[in-house]
Amino acid sequence: MNTAIAHTNIALIKYWGKQDEQLRLPLMSSLSMTLDAFYTDTSIEFADEDKFYLNGTLQTDASAQRVFTYIHKLQALLNLRPESVVIKSVNHVPTAAGLASSSSAFAALAGAFNRLYKLDLNHKQLSILARIGSGSASRSIFGGFSIWKKGVTSDDSFAYPIDENPTMDLHLLAIELDTKPKSLSSTEGMKLAKTSPFFNHWLEANDSELDAMISAINNNDFTALGELAEYNANEMHAINLSAKPGFTYFVPETLKAIELIHTLRKNGIECYYTIDAGPNVKVLCQLKNVKDIQKYFVSEFNNVKIVSASFGPGISYLD
Amino acid sequence: MNTAIAHTNIALIKYWGKQDEQLRLPLMSSLSMTLDAFYTDTSIEFADEDKFYLNGTLQTDASAQRVFTYIHKLQALLNLRPESVVIKSVNHVPTAAGLASSSSAFAALAGAFNRLYKLDLNHKQLSILARIGSGSASRSIFGGFSIWKKGVTSDDSFAYPIDENPTMDLHLLAIELDTKPKSLSSTEGMKLAKTSPFFNHWLEANDSELDAMISAINNNDFTALGELAEYNANEMHAINLSAKPGFTYFVPETLKAIELIHTLRKNGIECYYTIDAGPNVKVLCQLKNVKDIQKYFVSEFNNVKIVSASFGPGISYLD
């Protein structure tokens, strides 16, 4: 078996719009933190028939279709034998709840595919392959902080690490408020977002927001990083609310979580939120406050699940 | 006693930003519906000492200060005797909960002031006086639908009616989810909103949105009116979310109400929302659906108060 392990990542500067649907070329550059607590391991081998097992269960739905569409696309792109494969993935990420399981899933799948065909791809090439499966997967090839520069062609749109072993005291609490599958997929949400009259103006700010985030990282400035990450997420959700028609991934508990984060911050427990295409909230904080923040969320929410994460590694292989 | 009665109004195209704080000159034109169900009656007479009674209780807080600052400003502007006055207002509107009590309050106060000094102002002049007290009050001088054009000077920024006796089948349900005073005043919210990078782009769309709303009214097109009102409210709240720092007037129940409105619409009960600087939601609908919508809100929310309203009249006097 050819097995790869990739960790999920959370964007601090969001990817939220495609210039090319097929190639998943983005309209903006994004910046993320790879997480240690959430990952996918994926094995692949040649077989008589295409089969995809997720967490031990054979999949026959849209997720299997997406996986094999991806595999066939890679085989065509790289002029490889179009053989059938069996894929076995174990997803250590709650799926489809805004925790970006597709980032680790397609990064691991790209890695396993690389091994299967003995392609010996470098990380840049792997990042491009992963991107074709799921945009955010391009960043999960690397650990620590990485940037996915938008590029203008497929060969030019890939992630690269800016700090694979960060020393910043930065922790992420994934607050699972609601793990129901999201009502609107990221793909559909991104399409709709482009109808916002503010969308293009948001794009214009992409370079300066990226530069400001890189400075925060270089200066080891948690406050600047947190404020900008929260601000960038607010912009993304403002874009959604002002789309035609407006929509939101927020549910009532999302707002309650935002209120709690504001209250904690007012009371000297420094923390910030980021929110992706789903109802859940991720809290950015420093180690000294992790336990307190967990405590407050547990006391405010019924049945909340909280996973604490910090920096995760880039892609690796089981030999 | 010199007594005037004015009804509150709900903006379908929002006023959300000032070009001049002192004169309350707006950055955009707005369009509203005056409501029959919410109003203020205000009496004024000369006295030995300034006193302001609201709903029978002597006020000594910021609201009294705002009222007398306004009265003194009018006396100075119009070169009138700076005499003391006693003002008695009865506010048939839940205050400070996004139901724009200040629109009826300052319209009625402007009207009573007009009578006190026997100024014999026309409605345009009254609208200007009311505006100086509270921007949205400029529109409460008129019944039905009215427009407050932004203007460039104080004499040039006033409301006018576009249809004082509309035949459109249009009802508004004021859903009182939460009548706590809002955490951020409209004045402060408007200041902060201007820091959104999208604010100026929103302003650029003001003329075309206003034209589209006038067309919907002229064509008696409830669907077009509802969609545009909801869209314009979404834009305003997207502006707030993308301000620096981002903020929102939404509370968890606000999102729950929005979800309910989407569900009702999907199920063939046509309704739209508009939301001002507070947590409450106003539902726009037609008469045939009023009872059903009330029923669904009552079953989904504890202790919800719902007031049904339709078109209200312009300012009037008790002689």
Side-chain angles (χ1 to χ4, degrees), chain A residues 195-198 201-202 231 234-235 237-239 241-246 248 250-253 255-256 259 262 273, chain B residues 195-198 201-202 231 234-235 237-239 241-246 248 250-253 255-256 259 262 273:
Chain A
T195 65
S196 165
F198 307 140
H201 305 296
W202 188 35
Y231 182 68
N234 281 339
E235 284 184 306
H237 293 280
I239 291 290
L241 189 57
S242 56
K244 296 186 173 176
T248 185
F250 291 6
V251 297
E253 291 75 18
L255 277 185
K256 196 177 155 190
E259 285 172 15
H262 281 298
Y273 61 83
Chain B
T195 66
S196 166
F198 307 140
H201 305 296
W202 188 34
Y231 183 68
N234 280 339
E235 285 185 305
H237 292 279
I239 292 290
L241 189 57
S242 56
K244 295 186 173 177
T248 185
F250 291 5
V251 298
E253 291 75 17
L255 276 187
K256 198 179 154 188
E259 285 171 17
H262 282 297
Y273 61 81

Side-chain angles (χ1 to χ4, degrees), chain B:
Chain B
M1 293 290 274
N2 308 282
T3 303
I5 300 166
H7 286 69
T8 196
N9 69 76
I10 293 293
L12 304 177
I13 298 290
K14 302 296 184 194
Y15 155 52
W16 194 241
K18 297 184 178 86
Q19 50 174 302
D20 184 302
E21 296 278 333
Q22 276 302 307
L23 292 169
R24 294 183 196 271
L25 289 180
L27 282 162
M28 68 281 277
S29 299
S30 52
L31 185 153
S32 66
M33 170 190 187
T34 298
L35 301 174
D36 52 1
F38 305 104
Y39 59 96
T40 302
D41 50 73
T42 294
S43 302
I44 187 168
E45 56 185 351
F46 293 119
D48 292 337
E49 203 185 340
D50 280 343
K51 279 188 182 162
F52 172 48
Y53 294 86
L54 180 61
N55 303 328
T57 305
L58 182 67
Q59 305 291 305
T60 54
D61 61 355
S63 72
Q65 202 179 344
R66 181 169 172 190
V67 161
F68 289 110
T69 300
Y70 175 60
I71 294 293
H72 301 153
K73 196 187 276 187
L74 294 192
Q75 288 168 336
L77 270 173
L78 302 170
N79 294 312
L80 301 168
R81 306 180 298 276
E83 293 192 40
S84 292
V85 291
V86 168
I87 298 165
K88 293 180 182 169
S89 278
V90 179
N91 218 350
H92 305 268
V93 184
T95 40
L99 273 158
S101 59
S102 66
S103 69
S104 54
F106 283 91
L109 189 50
F113 186 91
N114 175 41
R115 282 294 169 103
L116 176 70
Y117 282 98
K118 303 188 199 314
L119 300 172
D120 202 22
L121 300 175
N122 62 27
H123 275 20
K124 171 184 156 180
Q125 294 166 317
L126 263 186
S127 177
I128 292 170
L129 283 208
R131 187 207 76 222
I132 292 168
S134 174
S136 62
S138 66
R139 300 182 306 243
S140 276
I141 301 302
F142 304 98
F145 290 114
S146 59
I147 290 177
W148 171 22
K149 71 178 184 81
K150 63 179 179 186
V152 288
T153 64
S154 186
D155 291 345
D156 189 34
S157 183
F158 52 85
Y160 56 91
I162 49 171
D163 188 351
E164 289 229 73
N165 292 294
T167 55
M168 186 184 278
D169 177 4
L170 178 61
H171 287 255
L172 180 139
L173 297 179
I175 314 284
E176 278 185 64
L177 300 165
D178 184 337
T179 52
K180 283 181 295 188
K182 51 196 168 190
S183 53
L184 191 71
S185 71
S186 297
T187 296
E188 292 305 311
M190 282 187 203
K191 272 188 208 162
L192 207 44
K194 287 161 82 168
T195 66
S196 166
F198 307 140
F199 188 81
N200 286 328
H201 305 296
W202 188 34
L203 291 187
E204 287 165 16
N206 180 230
D207 283 345
S208 66
E209 291 192 26
L210 202 67
D211 287 347
M213 188 60 88
I214 293 168
S215 292
I217 291 167
N218 289 340
N219 297 333
N220 204 19
D221 186 340
F222 166 69
T223 299
L225 177 143
E227 285 180 351
L228 184 53
E230 185 172 299
Y231 183 68
N232 182 266
N234 280 339
E235 285 185 305
M236 169 183 152
H237 292 279
I239 292 290
N240 293 345
L241 189 57
S242 56
K244 295 186 173 177
F247 66 100
T248 185
Y249 286 104
F250 291 5
V251 298
E253 291 75 17
T254 312
L255 276 187
K256 198 179 154 188
I258 291 175
E259 285 171 17
L260 177 55
I261 290 160
H262 282 297
T263 303
L264 290 172
R265 205 151 69 205
K266 233 178 272 172
N267 295 334
I269 299 175
E270 191 178 3
C271 56
Y272 303 91
Y273 61 81
T274 183
I275 303 174
D276 291 290
N280 287 318
V281 166
K282 293 102 189 177
V283 179
L284 298 165
C285 63
Q286 292 173 302
L287 183 59
K288 63 182 177 191
N289 289 323
V290 164
K291 283 189 178 165
D292 268 357
I293 296 169
Q294 284 180 318
K295 192 184 70 186
Y296 283 107
F297 270 93
V298 166
S299 80
E300 286 286 324
F301 291 90
N302 293 326
N303 301 320
V304 67
K305 280 188 269 178
I306 305 175
V307 182
S308 171
S310 192
F311 294 108
I315 193 164
S316 61
Y317 298 96
L318 279 187
D319 287 299

Side-chain angles (χ1 to χ4, degrees), chain A residues 223-277:
Chain A
T223 299
L225 177 142
E227 285 179 351
L228 184 53
E230 185 172 298
Y231 182 68
N232 183 265
N234 281 339
E235 284 184 306
M236 168 182 152
H237 293 280
I239 291 290
N240 293 346
L241 189 57
S242 56
K244 296 186 173 176
F247 66 100
T248 185
Y249 287 103
F250 291 6
V251 297
E253 291 75 18
T254 313
L255 277 185
K256 196 177 155 190
I258 291 175
E259 285 172 15
L260 177 55
I261 291 160
H262 281 298
T263 304
L264 290 172
R265 205 152 69 204
K266 231 178 272 170
N267 295 335
I269 299 175
E270 190 178 4
C271 57
Y272 303 90
Y273 61 83
T274 183
I275 303 174
D276 290 291

Side-chain angles (χ1 to χ4, degrees), chain A residues 20 22 40 53 74-75 89 95 119 139 145 207 270 300 315:
Chain A
D20 183 302
Q22 276 301 307
T40 301
Y53 294 87
L74 295 192
Q75 288 169 335
S89 277
T95 40
L119 301 172
R139 299 182 307 244
F145 290 114
D207 282 346
E270 190 178 4
E300 286 287 323
I315 193 164

Side-chain angles (χ1 to χ4, degrees), chain A residues 80-101:
Chain A
L80 301 168
R81 306 180 298 276
E83 292 192 43
S84 293
V85 291
V86 168
I87 298 165
K88 293 180 182 169
S89 277
V90 179
N91 218 350
H92 305 267
V93 183
T95 40
L99 273 158
S101 60

